[in-house]
């Protein structure tokens, strides 16, 4: 059994990690950190876990085998600077702090560089938008078939903004509403360009993100010039993801409920007027955050990649 610690366990991604790990057969949750909730039962904060765990939050860091960092962006670096983490502890950071692979961190997109993850000691978990867009484009990029600009229109649920309240996360503002934010400047563009820079050249990506009036999930619609046939594109994608347990190409149109509460990414391809359109859907809190973090942990520890992640979609 691997001993697990979670820093920032009271937030959205920390809560999702707890929901997954309480049912993971090979782990023991021994250090559930939250400065604001120390001493409380986990189920008093994450009330859906009532009856699933009797663990309590703590504000004291204990020795663990794997440490997940679920603090806000910029906080992970501060935490690691302020605490002496044993060299043998594997670290998986869910913030943006190390996605440039600085300080010995490896970018943790399993479908991109599983071999590096297997031997890594420290993982920078990808961003949610980045995950959905990278998985839409990786087969093309790896084959050298991105020959022009890439256009992305993607929408995310309110949980993507985190648990802290803001003007655009209140129900009264978000409900029956939709808006664009950070058009062409979103922070995930840096890691997307880094990941897709095969042969040292990243494609130019025009990215327009939307805030959706729903809680969770991401749908990214990505299109770029393509000179082949749809059959050739489908073969390219099937071949690339043949050994990936969580990425599937659908012949039929896809919708968000197919992936909510799972670690799956579903893709759908179409060709229109010389453009390949790839629709990519994920659950932003699972494949876009906590589920992918557990996937990385499984790979790092030499376990089955889908251990603890055989999750049920909501369906309707």
């Amino acid at each position: 059994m691997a001993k697990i610690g979670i820093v920032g366990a009271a937030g959205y991604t920390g809560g999702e990690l707890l929901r997954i790990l309480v049912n993971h057969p090979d782990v023991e949750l021994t250090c559930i950190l939250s400065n604001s909730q120390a001493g409380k039962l986990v189920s008093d904060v994450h009330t859906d876990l009532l009856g699933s765990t009797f663990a309590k939050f703590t504000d004291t860091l204990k020795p663990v085998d794997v440490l997940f960092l679920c603090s806000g962006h910029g906080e992970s670096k501060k935490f690691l600077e302020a605490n002496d983490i044993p060299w043998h502890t594997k670290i998986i950071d869910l913030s943006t702090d190390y996605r440039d692979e600085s300080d010995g961190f490896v970018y943790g997109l399993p479908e991109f560089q599983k071999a590096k993850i297997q031997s890594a000691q420290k993982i920078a978990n990808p961003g949610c938008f980045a995950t959905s867009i990278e998985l839409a484009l990786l087969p093309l990029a790896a084959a050298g078939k991105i020959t022009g600009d890439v256009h992305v229109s993607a929408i995310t649920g309110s949980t993507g903004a985190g648990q802290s309240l803001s003007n655009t996360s209140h129900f009264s503002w978000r409900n029956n509403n939709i808006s664009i934010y950070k058009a062409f400047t979103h922070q995930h563009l840096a890691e997307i360009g880094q990941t897709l820079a095969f042969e040292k050249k990243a494609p130019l990506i025009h990215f327009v993100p939307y805030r959706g009036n729903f809680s969770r999930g991401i749908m990214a619609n990505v299109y770029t010039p393509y000179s082949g046939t749809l059959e050739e594109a489908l073969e390219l994608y099937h071949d690339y993801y043949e050994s990936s347990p969580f990425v599937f190409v659908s012949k039929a149109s896809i919708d968000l409920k197919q992936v909510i509460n799972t670690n799956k990414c579903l893709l759908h391809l179409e060709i229109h007027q010389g453009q390949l359109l790839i629709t990519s859907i994920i659950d932003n809190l699972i494949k876009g955050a906590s589920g992918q973090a557990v996937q990385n942990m499984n790979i790092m520890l030499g376990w089955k990649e889908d251990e603890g992640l055989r999750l049920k979609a909501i369906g309707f």
Side-chain angles (χ1 to χ4, degrees):
M1 299 286 282
K3 294 182 178 180
I4 304 298
I6 303 174
V7 177
Y12 283 149
T13 56
E16 285 302 292
L17 266 175
L18 287 164
R19 292 177 188 97
I20 294 168
L21 293 176
V22 293
N23 293 308
H24 195 295
D26 300 316
V27 306
E28 180 185 0
L29 287 162
T30 59
C31 184
I32 305 172
L33 275 81
S34 171
N35 290 331
S36 62
Q37 306 296 337
K40 292 183 180 178
L41 285 167
V42 165
S43 58
D44 286 344
V45 175
H46 301 297
T47 54
D48 56 304
L49 288 175
L50 181 63
S52 297
T53 178
F54 298 96
K56 290 184 177 182
F57 292 104
T58 181
D59 56 5
T60 304
L61 182 62
K62 302 174 184 176
V64 293
D65 300 305
V66 182
L67 184 65
F68 292 92
L69 304 180
C70 297
S71 303
H73 303 310
E75 296 302 315
S76 292
K77 187 168 288 190
K78 292 178 184 177
F79 180 88
L80 293 180
E81 289 172 351
N83 291 274
D84 185 18
I85 309 298
W87 66 269
H88 57 80
T89 300
K90 296 185 184 298
I91 297 171
I92 301 175
D93 177 32
L94 279 72
S95 78
T96 61
D97 292 8
Y98 298 102
R99 290 177 188 160
D100 60 356
E101 297 198 315
S102 58
D103 294 339
F105 277 79
V106 169
Y107 188 70
L109 187 68
E111 297 78 9
F112 170 54
Q113 49 184 13
K114 188 181 297 185
K116 284 185 70 175
I117 294 168
Q118 287 173 332
S119 59
Q121 192 68 19
K122 299 186 287 187
I123 291 292
N125 216 55
C128 50
F129 269 134
T131 296
S132 62
I133 295 167
E134 288 164 355
L135 293 177
L137 291 169
L138 268 173
L140 287 179
K145 293 185 178 295
I146 299 180
T147 59
D149 291 4
V150 176
H151 296 263
V152 182
S153 175
I155 188 166
T156 186
S158 58
T159 52
Q163 199 169 33
S164 299
L165 290 178
S166 67
N167 291 336
T168 57
S169 64
H170 285 285
F171 175 83
S172 55
W173 186 91
R174 199 100 180 193
N175 187 44
N176 295 320
N177 201 5
I178 189 170
S179 66
I180 290 172
Y181 74 109
K182 297 181 181 177
F184 302 100
T185 63
H186 197 279
Q187 65 271 16
H188 289 180
L189 280 169
E191 61 186 279
I192 295 169
Q194 171 185 290
T195 301
L196 300 178
F198 288 83
E199 299 179 358
K200 308 291 185 182
K201 185 177 180 181
L204 183 59
I205 299 176
H206 308 280
F207 177 28
V208 181
Y210 292 82
R211 300 181 183 95
N213 63 341
F214 51 93
S215 295
R216 59 197 295 164
I218 285 176
M219 174 178 280
N221 291 292
V222 182
Y223 64 93
T224 190
Y226 183 73
S227 58
T229 66
L230 180 59
E231 289 72 23
E232 290 169 337
L234 287 169
E235 184 178 2
L236 178 68
Y237 275 71
H238 281 296
D239 288 348
Y240 188 91
Y241 289 120
E242 184 178 11
S243 61
S244 299
F246 295 112
V247 183
F248 303 94
V249 181
S250 171
K251 290 185 178 179
S253 296
I254 53 181
D255 62 84
L256 274 182
K257 284 189 176 180
Q258 291 174 267
V259 295
I260 298 306
N261 197 47
T262 79
N263 200 52
K264 292 179 184 177
C265 172
L266 297 189
L267 303 172
H268 175 68
L269 278 59
E270 300 177 10
I271 291 180
H272 299 279
Q273 299 176 341
Q275 301 283 323
L276 179 62
L277 170 65
I278 310 110
T279 300
S280 173
I281 55 173
I282 64 170
D283 185 316
N284 60 292
L285 289 179
I286 302 186
K287 183 56 176 169
S290 303
Q292 186 152 244
V294 173
Q295 185 181 353
N296 279 317
M297 176 192 72
N298 289 339
I299 295 169
M300 295 169 82
L301 296 178
W303 297 340
K304 290 185 65 175
E305 195 169 340
D306 64 350
E307 196 69 74
L309 290 169
R310 303 177 195 105
L311 306 172
K312 173 188 170 296
I314 60 172
F316 54 85

